[in-house]
Amino acid sequence: MSVDRKTFVFSDVARTNGAFVTDRRSLEVVRERIVAAIRTSVADAGADGVVVAMSGGLDSTLTTALAVEAVGNENVLGLGLPCHKTDAAHVNDARTLAEGMGIDYEEIQLRPLLEAFEGTVASELESESTSDASGRPDERTHAVGNAVARLRMVTAYYAANRQSRLVIGTANRSERLLGYFTKYGDGAADVYPLGDCYKTEVRALAKHIGIPRRIIGKEPTAGFWATQTDADELGARYDVIDPLLYRLVENDLPIEDAVADLRIDRETAREIESLYEATTHKRSTPPTPGIPDRGDDGTDSLR
């Protein structure tokens, strides 16, 4: 297996603590590389700063902290973008964290936008939502959840356009490899500071730079519905997912060898592998027809 990597590459970082970057020395190198890359991206774009959508979770908190180090707290805008009642605790965390970092912070309630969307667009295109017998939300609920993620990114880019800033994405490598993000929602950004870091490494880096333990210890969730968690959606926790993905993607091992090496459930491993394969389109630039005599602009071709 292979994946096109267009974020920051840490191939030269020593891995003295196994496959993942978790020792202090290597984490410091990664920290310096990420901070320098954010600073360079802002300078190259001639931007005045960055915008980060803050969920109150680990990834967005770490991303914001690294952005502050890169460009200064006066040049970072945090956005709290709640949409559901269950977002209240998380947005309170985001607000507190933003205040602690000394950055500008704006909180915008997106519920009215979602209600307008459902009353105009969704009501015309979809039948009434139902749930299956397991209680898991149906496909329409997933589609609405994706719409919320895109409303958040519309808001972030509006702020960026109005204030000459870059939008900083918060997705990590584990999420990117599994397509665990909304295309053109939280998957849209100008820079992905954590894009080469597995979730295992995100946690280690967060501890290294002093992110509060209560944030590091939060159960990962995309916040699509009240009880949603990453583990439920992906079929396993990251301490299972990351070692498997590393072997499949970085080491290019066959699934049988990876399963034997890790001694994990074969069906779970197959499901994770299938997620990786099925979400290739999320990690690729949309293809063009490949008309002859046109210059290569870096996009994929339909040929």
Side-chain angles (χ1 to χ4, degrees), residues 28 31-32 34-36 38-39 62-73 76 101 103 209:
E28 188 58 28
R31 172 185 181 168
E32 291 173 358
I34 291 175
V35 168
I38 295 172
R39 189 178 294 134
L62 177 59
T63 299
T64 305
L66 293 169
V68 167
E69 185 176 352
V71 299
N73 58 0
V76 177
M101 295 182 201
I103 66 173
I209 74 168

Side-chain angles (χ1 to χ4, degrees), residues 81-298:
L81 303 171
C83 190
H84 308 293
K85 291 181 179 179
T86 52
D87 294 335
H90 299 301
V91 79
N92 286 340
D93 282 339
R95 186 187 312 114
T96 300
L97 290 161
E99 291 173 354
M101 295 182 201
I103 66 173
D104 289 336
Y105 177 79
E106 297 290 342
E107 193 170 301
I108 303 168
Q109 175 55 250
L110 297 184
R111 189 69 197 180
L113 284 179
L114 178 60
E115 290 174 350
F117 176 84
E118 290 192 292
T120 55
V121 178
S123 63
E124 293 295 326
L125 299 178
E126 297 287 349
S127 59
E128 187 174 346
S129 178
T130 58
S131 295
D132 64 21
S134 69
R136 174 190 171 88
D138 65 5
E139 290 184 4
R140 182 181 185 278
T141 302
H142 278 273
V144 171
N146 285 329
V148 172
R150 291 174 181 130
L151 289 174
R152 288 184 174 127
M153 197 49 65
V154 166
T155 306
Y157 266 100
Y158 182 83
N161 291 162
R162 294 294 294 161
Q163 299 181 24
S164 187
R165 299 174 184 263
L166 294 184
V167 174
I168 302 294
T170 64
N172 59 61
R173 184 158 176 77
S174 304
E175 293 169 335
R176 291 180 62 243
L177 290 176
L178 296 178
Y180 192 57
F181 56 86
T182 297
K183 202 170 185 179
Y184 308 119
D186 54 331
D190 298 310
V191 185
Y192 286 106
L194 304 181
D196 282 336
C197 297
Y198 284 90
K199 188 72 171 188
T200 300
E201 296 167 325
V202 169
R203 289 197 180 104
L205 184 56
K207 291 178 183 177
H208 178 68
I209 74 168
I211 298 299
R213 290 183 180 180
R214 63 187 175 82
I215 302 300
I216 296 173
K218 275 189 174 184
E219 181 71 32
T221 174
F224 270 14
W225 56 87
T227 60
Q228 188 265 343
T229 68
D230 289 8
D232 287 342
E233 284 298 284
L234 298 174
R237 300 181 66 85
Y238 286 111
D239 56 0
V240 173
I241 290 172
D242 283 358
L244 177 63
L245 282 177
Y246 196 94
R247 285 160 175 78
L248 295 179
V249 179
E250 317 300 341
N251 295 337
D252 202 23
L253 288 181
I255 184 80
E256 294 79 9
D257 292 351
V259 169
D261 189 14
L262 295 170
R263 299 182 181 180
I264 64 175
D265 177 68
R266 184 179 298 274
E267 184 177 349
T268 299
R270 291 286 187 190
E271 290 176 357
I272 293 169
E273 181 190 39
S274 294
L275 274 176
Y276 170 79
E277 297 289 359
T279 57
T280 300
H281 67 97
K282 287 190 171 187
R283 298 182 294 273
S284 304
T285 304
T288 59
I291 297 175
D293 301 323
R294 296 295 186 267
D296 181 9
D297 61 357

